[in-house]
Amino acid sequence: MEKIISFLLSRVTLVTLALLAQIITLALMIYRFSNYFLIFDIIFMVISVMVVLYILNRKSDPTYKIAWIIPIMLFPVFGGLFYLMFGGTGLSSKMKDKMHTIIDKMKECLYQHPVTLANLRKEDTIAFNQAKYIEQYSSCPVYDNSATKFLPSGEEFFKCLTEELKKAEKYIFIEFFIIEKGIMWNTILKILKEKAKHGLDVRVVYDDFGCVTRLPHNYNKILEGYGIKCSVFNPYIPILSFRLNNRNHRKIAVIDGKTAYTGGINLADEYINAVEKFGHWRDNCVEIKGDAVWSLTVMFLSMWGYLRKNDENYQKFRPETYDQSGECHGYVQP
């Protein structure tokens, strides 16, 4: 009985009911005004035409324009109205300006060393063209002087991550789509709490939708109580909007700017097969050491700046020297 009551009063249930209420209300409104279909048909057709003209004149990605124009033309009665309800980014002009500022700052910090590109071009023209394309469109440079290690399972990632977390001396940055209480997260959290207690800068970012059924509401405040700085990406609210689909699927861990992890593994027990939700789980991750860690550090800090609306000096998180104990060969472009 307690489980049923807990489920009925959970945030997921309440938000779902609120969204269903909005959908039902919209459907009833359409049914209620069905007697005036011809009038509304003309109005909505005009709206759709105006919306298409607006989209065509917007300064945005052509693929974005096509993705909206085609369904609006196919379903002109409701297409324009649908765009007005869900087509916007949901960001204010002030927030857009803030994002542009963060992106510009990110570009300033991620400098592409020309010698590295020149060497890559000599070794592999195809790889050079790909790296150059990625650098131009994402501002993420290609690095040498970096070591990588492929981790073929969640179990191996978990082992390596905890070992590196214990070695942290200055800061730890954690950014994941899913975090769930259990063996994996509880073990990591214990280390984070200990490091925060000793004065390290420990920060955590998680996606609210990814954790909505896995973490209690206001879990960020619980972490803050441990001395761990925490921000939640796009809090899940009961408003019918495509903004709910704007999620952060990043999986990044950075330790002292010298070691980083990224891949497909979240911080939940099914990823290390401590529990089986969907059968045996197989995913992988990459450990990066050396210069290339800087890109992941800047990625995290840019997201942190966006969520916290603050401006800090990224360079203070850049190590003066990197650990060269790993075997550095080839090129890395995170």
Side-chain angles (χ1 to χ4, degrees), residues 135-150:
E135 192 273 330
Q136 286 178 341
Y137 283 91
S138 69
S139 300
C140 293
V142 59
Y143 299 88
D144 52 12
N145 193 35
S146 301
T148 59
K149 180 181 178 182
F150 177 68

Side-chain angles (χ1 to χ4, degrees), residues 106 109-113 116-117 131 134-135 138-143 292 294-295 332-334:
M106 184 175 172
C109 293
L110 296 176
Y111 170 72
Q112 176 61 71
H113 202 292
T116 304
L117 268 183
I134 293 172
E135 192 273 330
S138 69
S139 300
C140 293
V142 59
Y143 299 88
W294 178 237
S295 278
V332 184
Q333 190 173 22

Side-chain angles (χ1 to χ4, degrees), residues 25 29 39 46 61 94 137 141 167 191 197 216-218 325:
T25 301
M29 288 176 62
I39 297 174
V46 172
D61 190 338
K94 184 178 180 181
Y137 283 91
K167 298 176 186 176
I191 300 172
K197 184 179 178 181
H217 185 48
N218 292 331
S325 59

Side-chain angles (χ1 to χ4, degrees), residues 142-184:
V142 59
Y143 299 88
D144 52 12
N145 193 35
S146 301
T148 59
K149 180 181 178 182
F150 177 68
L151 306 176
S153 68
E155 292 88 334
E156 191 165 347
F157 162 66
F158 181 40
K159 178 176 178 291
C160 292
L161 176 62
T162 51
E163 288 176 355
E164 291 296 328
L165 289 174
K166 291 175 182 177
K167 298 176 186 176
E169 297 178 348
K170 295 182 178 179
Y171 64 83
I172 297 171
F173 297 156
I174 301 288
E175 181 180 350
F176 281 79
F177 177 61
I178 294 173
I179 294 176
E180 183 176 22
K181 291 182 177 181
I183 295 172
M184 188 179 194

Side-chain angles (χ1 to χ4, degrees), residues 206-253:
Y206 64 84
D207 185 277
D208 199 37
F209 184 80
C211 300
V212 69
T213 61
R214 300 169 183 262
L215 294 176
H217 185 48
N218 292 331
Y219 187 67
N220 56 317
K221 294 182 179 179
I222 295 175
L223 293 184
E224 294 277 356
Y226 298 142
I228 300 170
K229 301 172 186 174
C230 183
S231 291
V232 182
F233 183 86
N234 195 10
Y236 193 55
I237 54 177
I239 297 177
L240 195 60
S241 169
F242 271 2
R243 187 175 180 272
L244 290 175
N245 196 43
N246 182 19
R247 309 312 333 166
N248 179 4
H249 284 270
R250 283 180 176 177
K251 302 162 186 71
I252 297 173

